[in-house]
Amino acid sequence: MSKRFVVFFLLVFISSISFAEEALKKVKVLSEEYYDLLFDKNKVGKVRLETYIGNFKGKEYYVIEEEMEARFLRGGTEMKTYSKSRTLSNQKDLEPAGYWYESNEGGEKRNIMGIVKREKNKKILHLEIDIGGTKTTKDVEVPDDAIFSNAFEIFIRRNLQEGFSAKRPLIMEADTDVVEGTTQVDKFEPVDACPNSVYKTTTVVAGIKNVELRDSSGWPVCVIIPTMNAIFLRTDKKKAEEGFSPVDIFEQSLIKPDKQIKSINRLERLTVRLTFDSMQLPDIIEDEYQKVLKREGKSITLQIKRIRPDIDKKMTFPVKDERLSKYIQPTRYEQSNSEKIMELAQKFAGDETDIIDTAIKVSDRVGQYIKGASLSKGYLSALEVLEQRVGDCTEYSVLTSALLKSLGIPTRLVMGLVYVDGKFGFHSWLDYWAGEWYSIDPTLNEEAVNPTHIRLWTGIGEPSELRGASTSALNFLNKVKIEILDAEYK
């Protein structure tokens, strides 16, 4: 069971000669603000946000530097996260020029460098990415009016007046993609928790809603993220440096149903009622595995079934189907084109040629290959799992997925809930394609996943898609009750 999806949403090549970070010189500091990050009223982190005019290779830019540090407990083990971004924009209109991003998630380092260029009348963001020593490049076409996501805050401040609203495409520095950002400005009466606030801005970025309470200068006094039960509270440098009180988000995310589920190995079909604390019900995946039977008020009645692969149905790999190409190609976290990944896949698969037999065999071998969990680490890529041989369900799934992709077998990652030890908790497994999608769980060593696997998200190992997993998790975090309505057994 994963301890990672509940914190993944908070974790958010600097060696290039053409865009060397050390060439940036600070000219004039415009502002420097500090914030405490409170989760469930506990201080778990801090943020420093500085804006200044910087000189880069003889040209002046508006620089926004954002630095965040946070600590959480995962099953009693402390996990430290750190991230820092610097974006360079045109002073007048915030036109993006380039950026650097670095993070350290439980000791796992990620570095990204991006340069915005014009090529054939198109604006292209050229990226150099380093994930645990694996370096890749990527080009992303961005709209002409796109700005960096951290520049959206400056854009809002420049237009702070009652009734103002706007929509802008935003470049997500950590996820290296472009999303829509919206904001609405309203007058606001100050409250004790956020004194001196006179404006309220409601901002939605990549589906995540923030409520910012601002003073007359435009800077936020408080930033409230309702789906996370988190608040960024403005403070001074001295207080920001004070110690943290990390909380165990994994333990808080566990959901105990109204009754126990017995004999899961024989369970074939499960019907549950999910009751949320809001009338705004989340989207629920409906596919061959699960079906929504009823939506009523704050509740969704869901039926999940076990689908066992037909081992007599033979289908060989590699699969050559353009419609499935997305699910075979390597991704940032599934480096299926790595020689090490391909060699291990061949070793695990042996002489097998059938997809179902191979998927079962590889999944089983991954379960043996990973030697233990490391709760202090961040989200590992497949290559990092191969080299370190540690992890929990996310690592089991991402390695199995990469190995199967390297053999030409389409896969997709799955995030959801699973029932273990009397409670539902966030979990990861995967689907593979053998004429249809079949689910397999290398962590729990299940060739056909049991019906307590509630599917919340499916996708591939790109940050832009994994963000969807995080958003889905947020909709369930401390917000749902689960009732067991019916269980059918073999």
Side-chain angles (χ1 to χ4, degrees):
M1 189 181 300
S2 174
K3 291 75 133 174
R4 182 161 299 111
F5 277 111
V6 294
V7 300
F8 183 67
F9 48 83
L10 286 172
L11 306 179
V12 207
F13 318 142
I14 301 179
S15 59
S16 173
I17 296 175
S18 62
F19 204 57
E21 189 173 9
E22 58 269 19
L24 176 64
K25 306 300 181 184
K26 191 178 298 185
V27 175
K28 180 183 178 181
V29 175
L30 302 175
S31 64
E32 188 173 31
E33 302 288 336
Y34 292 86
Y35 294 85
D36 284 337
L37 169 57
L38 307 181
F39 184 84
D40 199 21
K41 299 182 180 180
N42 294 280
K43 180 179 176 179
V44 298
K46 64 179 180 180
V47 176
R48 181 183 67 87
L49 182 62
E50 182 181 10
T51 62
Y52 57 90
I53 303 301
N55 186 294
F56 184 76
K57 294 189 174 181
K59 187 174 181 180
E60 290 192 346
Y61 292 95
Y62 194 103
V63 182
I64 304 170
E65 185 171 308
E66 185 173 339
E67 191 173 18
M68 176 176 172
E69 180 183 347
R71 297 179 188 178
F72 303 96
L73 295 177
R74 298 173 55 207
T77 300
E78 185 176 79
M79 177 180 179
K80 299 178 182 179
T81 71
Y82 171 84
S83 65
K84 181 180 180 179
S85 65
R86 284 190 181 123
T87 61
L88 276 62
S89 304
N90 181 280
Q91 295 182 55
K92 184 177 180 181
D93 58 7
L94 300 177
E95 172 87 6
Y99 78 96
W100 302 273
Y101 174 86
E102 63 179 284
S103 69
N104 189 320
E105 303 166 4
E108 305 306 317
K109 296 181 179 180
R110 282 87 175 91
N111 293 286
I112 303 170
M113 183 277 288
I115 306 175
V116 179
K117 298 180 178 180
R118 280 230 170 249
E119 297 180 4
K120 297 180 180 179
N121 297 320
K122 293 181 179 180
K123 187 183 290 186
I124 302 296
L125 174 63
H126 174 72
L127 297 155
E128 296 184 5
I129 303 162
D130 186 337
I131 302 293
T134 302
K135 298 181 180 181
T136 58
T137 61
K138 176 182 177 182
D139 286 339
V140 178
E141 184 177 349
V142 299
D144 281 338
D145 59 340
I147 60 177
F148 289 120
S149 65
N150 68 2
F152 199 38
E153 166 63 29
I154 309 304
F155 171 77
I156 294 170
R157 287 187 60 206
R158 289 180 175 181
N159 294 278
L160 196 62
Q161 56 182 329
E162 185 178 2
F164 175 79
S165 63
K167 181 188 298 184
R168 293 291 295 266
L170 305 177
I171 299 170
M172 302 294 285
E173 297 87 5
D175 296 344
T176 64
D177 67 338
V178 179
V179 303
E180 182 181 272
T182 64
T183 190
Q184 170 71 42
V185 182
D186 298 296
K187 278 285 189 180
F188 183 76
E189 293 295 329
V191 294
D192 291 340
C194 299
N196 304 318
S197 50
V198 294
Y199 290 101
K200 179 182 80 170
T201 54
T202 303
T203 303
V204 180
V205 176
I208 303 297
K209 177 182 176 181
N210 295 347
V211 178
E212 302 108 355
L213 306 182
R214 302 172 181 271
D215 62 19
S216 57
S217 74
W219 279 109
V221 179
C222 303
V223 178
I224 304 165
I225 309 178
T227 53
M228 289 167 49
N229 196 22
I231 298 177
F232 292 87
L233 186 64
R234 192 167 69 188
T235 185
D236 56 41
K237 182 178 181 179
K238 183 178 179 180
K239 290 183 179 178
E241 297 294 337
E242 292 177 357
F244 300 163
S245 301
V247 297
D248 199 321
I249 308 180
F250 169 64
E251 292 297 331
Q252 291 190 11
S253 72
L254 297 177
I255 306 166
K256 186 175 182 179
D258 66 323
K259 61 183 70 170
Q260 298 293 295
I261 305 174
K262 300 178 180 180
S263 304
I264 291 177
N265 289 339
R266 296 192 299 108
L267 186 63
E268 293 295 305
R269 195 182 304 265
L270 183 69
T271 305
V272 299
R273 179 159 54 228
L274 311 174
T275 302
F276 297 84
D277 64 1
S278 170
M279 291 295 291
Q280 186 175 354
L281 299 179
D283 293 330
I284 296 288
I285 291 176
E286 291 194 74
D287 57 15
E288 56 270 29
Y289 281 90
Q290 65 185 33
K291 180 171 64 173
V292 173
L293 301 182
K294 182 190 297 185
R295 290 177 178 266
E296 185 176 17
K298 296 183 178 182
S299 298
I300 296 175
T301 301
L302 188 66
Q303 188 176 82
I304 312 105
K305 66 179 180 180
R306 188 195 300 262
I307 298 179
R308 301 181 185 276
D310 184 356
I311 58 176
D312 295 325
K313 176 184 174 183
K314 300 300 179 181
M315 182 175 177
T316 60
F317 57 88
V319 174
K320 298 185 181 298
D321 187 334
E322 285 298 319
R323 295 170 298 177
L324 297 169
S325 60
K326 169 183 176 180
Y327 302 104
I328 299 178
Q329 295 171 357
T331 69
R332 191 181 303 182
Y333 284 92
E334 302 157 293
Q335 303 103 327
S336 53
N337 56 345
S338 160
E339 288 187 10
K340 291 182 178 180
I341 293 289
M342 292 187 285
E343 288 174 4
L344 190 64
Q346 291 292 340
K347 178 181 178 180
F348 284 179
D351 296 329
E352 295 287 357
T353 58
D354 175 65
I355 292 179
I356 293 176
D357 291 341
T358 302
I360 293 172
K361 188 173 182 179
V362 170
S363 176
D364 179 66
R365 292 294 300 274
V366 167
Q368 300 172 42
Y369 183 83
I370 295 177
K371 296 300 184 182
S374 181
L375 303 182
S376 64
K377 290 187 176 292
Y379 191 101
L380 299 182
S381 70
L383 198 52
E384 289 172 319
V385 182
L386 181 151
E387 293 171 345
Q388 299 181 28
R389 302 184 71 169
V390 296
D392 58 25
C393 63
T394 49
E395 281 69 45
Y396 281 79
S397 300
V398 78
L399 179 57
T400 304
S401 180
L403 294 172
L404 294 178
K405 284 180 189 290
S406 76
L407 297 170
I409 300 173
T411 66
R412 60 188 185 192
L413 301 171
V414 186
M415 188 280 294
L417 301 171
V418 73
Y419 182 82
V420 175
D421 296 331
K423 297 178 181 178
F424 282 91
F426 291 108
H427 187 56
S428 178
W429 60 100
L430 71 145
D431 295 338
Y432 66 92
W433 177 264
E436 58 185 290
W437 289 109
Y438 291 109
S439 279
I440 195 164
D441 190 334
T443 312
L444 300 181
N445 194 26
E446 292 187 342
E447 299 176 4
V449 300
N450 73 69
T452 72
H453 287 69
I454 300 176
R455 300 160 72 87
L456 304 182
W457 170 88
T458 65
I460 59 175
E462 289 289 348
S464 56
E465 294 217 11
L466 291 169
R467 186 174 59 238
S470 304
T471 303
S472 298
L474 288 173
N475 290 327
F476 279 75
L477 187 61
N478 298 325
K479 296 183 180 70
V480 64
K481 295 180 180 179
I482 299 180
E483 299 172 77
I484 309 301
L485 302 182
D486 188 41
E488 299 178 25
Y489 292 90
K490 184 177 179 180

